[in-house]
């Protein structure tokens, strides 16, 4: 069975074609500047075919999908003979609200429910819906599945997901913690259990997805019991450009002082804050590490704040689960930042974690970075959200 995985943004669309027989990645690519002019980078990964990397007109997502199908099936760049070989499509959808606790086959009722979730993710869900509609227009009745960023977190108990605001805002308006990066937390936690050779139902795991956007999840017996992102992905840890946790009073103070409206304030908190805002240099940890080495105090502070927050939230999750067996690092910073990992794990040494310095310095697949006799194990596990989407799609359609 061959599954096309689609991650549609407002002006971009990422895709992978995966052969589920042996979970081989056949091709991957990215459409950019959809609705502006259009560019496609298509990389076939089997059959020695060349990469296609050129501007192509893409007035809407439908032209983008058509261009992707054209390349996937072309003689020069293709990896399948025709569209008929694509058995199903799995779509990443950001917000499933409380309606979706797992992946679902897309039908009219699901599309209507996705629309209802749009107010919770006004920037992301419309793009995901556009991607689904574009696929339907181009691919006809090929079965499609929606896989939600929020679904894995639906197992959180109410004491973890409720905000302490008047209860009516939850009942009437759905105001609560939803959490994001669920597909990634799910993948790395199940891989961690495999690596430990133990059933996930017997493990307490803290998963640290540290990328441009960052979140932690506490996963007890295979179920998420808490996570650091909230109603939106703005809260929790300080991130690349997002502020993380912030006293709402700061917003009122700054908005009044600088005569800002809420959109301007939120733009600053989403795009100009986090380690970028603190350092004044960059949101990229490579730049911050270089800056800190060269003596830039604000770059150093940004890095210190980041690892302090990861450790502080991880410590609270050890309390929430009454213990922890393993800590996982994943995503851009988690997979590539040994100094950040070391700083986080040094804070958590009191839990009984001993870092294996040589293992922590390595890059690559699925590495245990704690010593063999460390009480709590630590791992680097590269995330693979697309594979989870493809697996769910194959299971639901198959
Ligand atoms: P996204 O949240 O956009 O998916 P990623 O998970 O790809 O982000 O993470 C991107 C971030 O990973 C970059 O901003 C950068 O800070 C960090 N990163 C990537 N490579 C390295 C590296 N070699 N060392 C430290 N940080 C890195």
């Amino acid at each position: 069975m061959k599954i096309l995985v689609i991650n549609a943004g407002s002006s971009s669309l990422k895709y992978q074609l995966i052969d589920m027989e042996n979970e081989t990645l056949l091709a991957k690519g990215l459409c950019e500047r959809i609705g502006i002019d259009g560019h496609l980078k298509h990389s076939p990964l089997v059959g020695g075919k060349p990469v296609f990397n050129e501007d192509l007109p893409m007035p809407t997502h439908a032209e983008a999908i058509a261009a992707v199908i054209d390349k996937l099936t072309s003689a020069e760049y293709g990896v399948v003979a025709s569209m008929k070989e694509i058995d199903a499509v799995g779509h990443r959808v950001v917000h499933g609200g409380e309606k979706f606790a797992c992946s679902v086959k897309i039908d009219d009722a699901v599309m209507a429910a996705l629309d209802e979730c749009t107010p919770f993710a006004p920037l992301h869900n419309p793009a995901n819906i556009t991607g689904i509609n574009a696929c339907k227009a181009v691919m006809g009745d090929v079965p499609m599945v929606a896989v939600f960023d929020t679904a894995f977190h639906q197992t959180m108990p109410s004491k973890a997901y409720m905000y302490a605001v008047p209860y009516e805002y939850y009942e009437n308006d759905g105001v609560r913690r939803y959490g994001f990066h669920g597909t990634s937390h799910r993948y790395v936690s199940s891989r961690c259990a495999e690596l430990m050779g133990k059933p996930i139902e017997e493990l307490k795991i803290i998963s640290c997805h540290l990328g441009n956007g960052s979140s932690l999840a506490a996963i007890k017996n295979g179920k998420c019991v808490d996570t650091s992102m909230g109603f939106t992905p703005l809260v929790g840890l300080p991130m690349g450009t997002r502020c993380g946790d912030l006293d709402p009073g700061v917003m009122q103070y700054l908005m009044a002082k600088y005569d800002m409206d809420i959109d301007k304030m939120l733009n600053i908190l989403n795009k100009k804050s986090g380690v970028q805002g603190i350092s004044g240099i960059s949101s990229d940890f490579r730049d911050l590490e270089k800056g800190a080495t060269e003596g830039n105090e604000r770059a150093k502070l940004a890095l210190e704040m980041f690892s302090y927050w990861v450790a502080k939230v991880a410590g609270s999750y050890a309390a929430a689960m009454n213990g922890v067996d393993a800590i996982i690092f994943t995503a851009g910073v988690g997979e590539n930042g040994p100094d950040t990992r070391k700083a986080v794990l040094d804070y958590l040494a009191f839990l009984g974690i001993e870092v294996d310095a040589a293992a922590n310095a390595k890059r690559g697949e699925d590495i245990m970075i704690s010593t063999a006799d460390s009480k709590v194990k630590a791992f680097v596990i590269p995330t693979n959200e697309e594979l989870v989407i493809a697996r769910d799609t194959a299971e639901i359609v198959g």
Side-chain angles (χ1 to χ4, degrees):
M1 182 180 263
K2 295 188 181 85
I3 308 286
L4 180 62
V5 176
I6 299 281
N7 181 356
S10 56
S11 68
S12 71
L13 186 148
K14 288 189 215 152
Y15 64 94
Q16 290 192 358
L17 185 66
I18 303 176
D19 186 344
M20 296 312 289
E21 204 171 318
N22 38 18
E23 296 189 336
T24 314
L25 187 53
L26 301 176
K28 64 176 184 178
L30 170 66
C31 303
E32 285 178 298
R33 300 176 61 82
I34 301 170
I36 306 164
D37 38 22
H39 186 94
L40 171 62
K41 182 170 184 192
H42 165 80
S43 306
L45 299 165
V46 291
K49 305 270 175 89
V51 170
F52 177 90
N53 191 8
E54 286 178 31
D55 291 343
L56 277 181
M58 293 174 189
T60 72
H61 285 66
E63 286 85 4
I65 295 281
V68 169
I69 300 293
D70 178 58
K71 289 293 163 281
L72 285 170
T73 56
S74 81
E76 196 176 355
Y77 304 99
V79 292
V80 288
S82 80
M83 198 167 75
K84 287 200 189 91
E85 282 187 46
I86 301 172
D87 298 287
V89 182
H91 290 272
R92 178 206 178 199
V93 178
V94 167
H95 216 304
E98 285 190 334
K99 290 180 194 298
F100 298 105
C102 58
S103 305
V104 285
K105 188 162 177 196
I106 297 173
D107 59 18
D108 290 346
V110 167
M111 291 305 284
L114 291 185
D115 263 336
E116 284 172 35
C117 295
T118 290
F120 295 142
L123 296 179
H124 292 100
N125 269 33
N128 303 149
I129 293 169
T130 303
I132 296 169
N133 285 329
C135 268
K136 279 191 194 164
V138 175
M139 302 181 74
D141 52 9
V142 175
M144 304 208 195
V145 167
V147 180
F148 302 91
D149 270 24
T150 49
F152 181 64
H153 303 301
Q154 279 295 304
T155 50
M156 281 189 288
S158 49
K159 66 184 174 190
Y161 71 68
M162 287 299 291
Y163 290 127
V165 295
Y167 196 81
E168 308 83 85
Y169 292 129
Y170 167 65
E171 273 190 318
N172 300 337
D173 308 301
V175 170
R176 51 159 285 176
R177 181 187 304 280
Y178 287 100
F180 299 87
H181 292 142
T183 314
S184 174
H185 290 302
R186 191 176 131 206
Y187 173 78
V188 295
S189 57
S190 83
R191 186 78 195 105
C192 176
E194 276 171 33
L195 293 171
M196 292 179 79
K198 290 196 177 149
I200 196 164
E201 293 75 18
E202 291 173 13
L203 289 171
K204 295 170 182 171
I205 296 173
I206 297 171
S207 164
C208 309
H209 179 112
L210 312 179
N212 234 331
S214 295
S215 72
L216 262 63
I219 302 156
K220 190 178 184 183
N221 308 332
K223 292 193 161 52
C224 177
V225 294
D226 210 340
T227 192
S228 61
M229 284 179 167
F231 181 70
T232 71
L234 186 56
V235 294
L237 313 167
M239 309 183 206
T241 61
R242 293 183 209 143
C243 61
D245 281 3
L246 180 79
D247 178 346
V250 170
M251 295 170 66
Q252 191 216 10
Y253 172 73
L254 290 178
M255 286 166 71
K257 184 157 187 190
Y258 295 107
D259 193 22
M260 285 191 275
D261 63 13
I262 188 69
D263 288 340
K264 190 161 182 207
M265 185 77 253
L266 281 177
N267 188 48
I268 291 170
L269 299 179
N270 266 302
K271 306 225 167 102
K272 297 185 176 155
S273 299
V275 294
Q276 161 81 62
I278 292 293
S279 69
I281 299 180
S282 170
S283 62
D284 192 306
F285 278 61
R286 287 163 288 200
D287 300 334
L288 298 178
E289 281 167 13
K290 185 164 172 279
T293 317
E294 291 165 359
N296 184 311
E297 288 302 321
R298 279 170 55 184
K300 208 167 146 225
L301 173 63
L303 291 170
E304 281 173 0
M305 281 176 71
F306 185 77
S307 49
Y308 174 71
W309 265 92
V310 176
K312 180 161 100 163
V313 175
S316 73
Y317 288 172
M321 295 191 289
N322 191 21
V324 54
D325 299 303
I327 298 182
I328 308 165
F329 293 91
T330 194
V333 181
E335 290 167 30
N336 300 298
D339 293 346
T340 299
R341 294 195 298 258
K342 169 89 168 71
V344 170
L345 293 176
D346 280 352
Y347 278 113
L348 299 174
F350 75 97
L351 292 169
I353 302 175
E354 257 182 72
V355 181
D356 177 338
N360 188 39
K362 281 190 208 155
R363 283 221 164 80
E365 300 287 294
D366 301 345
I367 309 166
M368 187 167 88
I369 57 168
S370 52
T371 58
D373 51 7
S374 178
K375 186 167 154 253
V376 176
K377 307 292 183 216
F379 294 90
V380 176
I381 302 180
T383 194
N384 196 340
E385 288 154 289
E386 292 80 9
L387 184 58
V388 176
I389 295 173
R391 282 178 182 166
D392 277 9
T393 304
E395 195 184 315
I396 288 170
V397 166

